[in-house]
Structures are given as structure tokens and as C-alpha cells.
Amino acid sequence: MTSTNGERPSYEQAREELTDIVRRLEAGGVTLEESLALWERGEALAKICQEWLDGARAKLEAAAPETDE
């Protein structure tokens, strides 16, 4: 899962590509083989997005002041 420059895509890039894949799958008109390839790429992109979100959450939690509840 790399962007055009060989690096991991940003969250925004991964989300945009994932959105495009969903549109293509919903529109139909692709072969079963193409659909499976798109699905697999979509799963990989969803994982990348989740990793970005998990990293952002961890940073926010680390930066938040500790409170006694």
C-alpha cells in the first residue's frame, strides 16, 4: 500500500482511493476478477485509514492531561 512516490499513503489519500473503489463497486460493470482485486485493495486501504486514526487517537490521549475520576 504505497502512494505514487513509494511511501505509505496519507490518511486523506487512502480515504479518497477507498471512496473511489466503493463507487466503482457500487456502479457495477466490472468483472468478478476486477471486483475481487478492488475489494482486496479496499480492505488494505481501510486498514491504513484505521492505523492513521489509531495513531491520532494515541497522540491525543498522550497529550491529554491525566484526570482522577
Side-chain angles (χ1 to χ4, degrees):
M1 281 24 68
T2 58
S3 63
T4 55
N5 60 6
E7 297 177 6
R8 179 176 148 190
S10 69
Y11 172 79
E12 292 79 8
Q13 291 168 328
R15 187 188 65 210
E16 185 177 326
E17 186 179 347
L18 181 57
T19 300
D20 183 55
I21 287 172
V22 170
R23 279 192 205 115
R24 289 179 64 190
L25 288 171
E26 287 178 342
V30 293
T31 66
L32 177 59
E33 186 175 311
E34 291 170 323
S35 294
L36 289 173
L38 287 169
W39 182 269
E40 289 173 355
R41 178 65 177 156
E43 287 286 332
L45 290 165
K47 182 179 178 186
I48 290 170
C49 288
Q50 189 61 55
E51 289 169 354
W52 276 110
L53 292 172
D54 291 344
R57 179 184 304 268
K59 286 180 182 178
L60 288 171
E61 289 173 354
E66 303 241 350
T67 58
D68 292 333
E69 293 183 31

